[in-house]
Amino acid sequence: MEFKLVWSDEFDYEGKPDPAIWDYEVGNHGFGNNELQAYTNHEANAFVKDGILHIRGQKERNQDNLYTSAKLTTYGKKSFLYGKLDFSAKLPKGKGTWPAVWMLSDAMRQGVHWPECGEIDILEHIGRNEDQLHFSLHSKTYNHRLRNQYTSVHHIEGVTESFHDYSMVWLEDSVEFFVDGQSMAKFEKGMEGRESDEGAWPFNQPYYLMINLALGGFWGGELDKNCLPAELELKYIRFYEVVG
């Protein structure tokens, strides 16, 4: 199988993320998970320096209960359907940090509610379980509310200490996740006797990409304020279409 590079950010500039590539989701309403942070479009929370994208979660000065971070999105800029995503990332340390690189279908912005829209969790890390990585798919039929989502958890030493290479290969009937070139999980349509209707496998439509660092929340857990500021760092991110 061959792939062709069609989209990337090499972070070969300084300052705010490239507005031709990224937009921001902003707000402070818990995002369905009782998260603590307000997402902003401020450079203090998302910036490129020395060839690295920094997504920074921090406590705001002189405001005891205000935490800020950033969520970058490609919605309205670029959507994806089948191919390979590569990125190099260093994950934040600290209890209560919850970095993620993930995707929702464009249908989410067009009135189709979660989980019917589908969700692809390319990488999640919960700070209280350092070095434990989660790779998951959610759909109407299989999702975390039902506790039956497609998911796989792996312990990889040093993901908060140094950069590692992460990949996803997304085909019509499968999604596979890799760390440093090693396959971590492969989920296939209809695997293990699961239903394979649209409610079970909505991963056949355009999706947009998001990168964010959440703080706290139902899954993120109690936040250790002493770990702030915390950063999710990326060296590059690239998407390739299937050409053969």
Side-chain angles (χ1 to χ4, degrees), residues 28 36-38 58-61 63-68:
N28 183 22
L36 299 176
Q37 80 287 338
Q58 61 187 12
K59 180 181 178 296
E60 293 300 301
R61 292 182 180 178
Q63 300 187 60
D64 290 340
N65 297 311
L66 180 59
Y67 303 90
T68 60

Side-chain angles (χ1 to χ4, degrees), residues 103-149:
M103 305 177 94
L104 290 172
S105 75
D106 290 2
M108 176 74 173
R109 297 292 193 98
Q110 298 159 5
V112 178
H113 297 296
W114 190 94
E116 288 88 343
C117 65
E119 176 178 328
I120 303 173
D121 294 321
I122 304 162
L123 171 66
E124 292 184 283
H125 179 265
I126 304 303
R128 68 176 180 274
N129 297 320
E130 189 169 324
D131 295 333
Q132 186 170 290
L133 304 178
H134 297 253
F135 311 93
S136 306
L137 304 179
H138 299 271
S139 66
K140 179 180 180 180
T141 309
Y142 304 110
N143 61 77
H144 73 81
R145 290 178 181 169
L146 300 176
R147 299 184 179 182
N148 65 353
Q149 74 269 28

Side-chain angles (χ1 to χ4, degrees), residues 24-108:
Y24 300 84
E25 289 193 11
V26 299
N28 183 22
H29 49 73
F31 304 94
N33 300 304
N34 200 37
E35 297 165 26
L36 299 176
Q37 80 287 338
Y39 285 130
T40 80
N41 58 4
H42 302 158
E43 189 169 336
N45 294 117
F47 60 93
V48 177
K49 183 177 181 181
D50 298 328
I52 295 174
L53 170 67
H54 301 256
I55 305 293
R56 175 178 288 171
Q58 61 187 12
K59 180 181 178 296
E60 293 300 301
R61 292 182 180 178
N62 304 318
Q63 300 187 60
D64 290 340
N65 297 311
L66 180 59
Y67 303 90
T68 60
S69 187
K71 178 190 283 187
L72 300 183
T73 173
T74 68
Y75 183 76
K77 308 283 186 177
K78 177 66 176 178
S79 295
F80 308 90
L81 177 61
Y82 308 142
K84 181 183 180 185
L85 181 76
D86 289 342
F87 60 95
S88 177
K90 179 181 176 183
L91 309 183
K93 280 181 173 288
K95 293 181 179 179
T97 60
W98 178 3
V101 179
W102 56 302
M103 305 177 94
L104 290 172
S105 75
D106 290 2
M108 176 74 173

Side-chain angles (χ1 to χ4, degrees), residues 162-180:
S162 60
F163 284 87
H164 290 256
D165 296 328
Y166 300 89
S167 298
M168 172 191 68
V169 175
W170 172 23
L171 305 177
E172 184 175 357
D173 294 326
S174 67
V175 182
E176 188 169 8
F177 302 98
F178 300 81
V179 178
D180 296 328

Side-chain angles (χ1 to χ4, degrees), residues 204-223:
N204 54 4
Q205 57 187 313
Y207 277 63
Y208 61 95
L209 178 68
M210 288 173 288
I211 304 173
N212 69 282
L213 172 55
L215 301 174
F218 293 131
W219 198 34
E222 183 179 358
L223 176 64

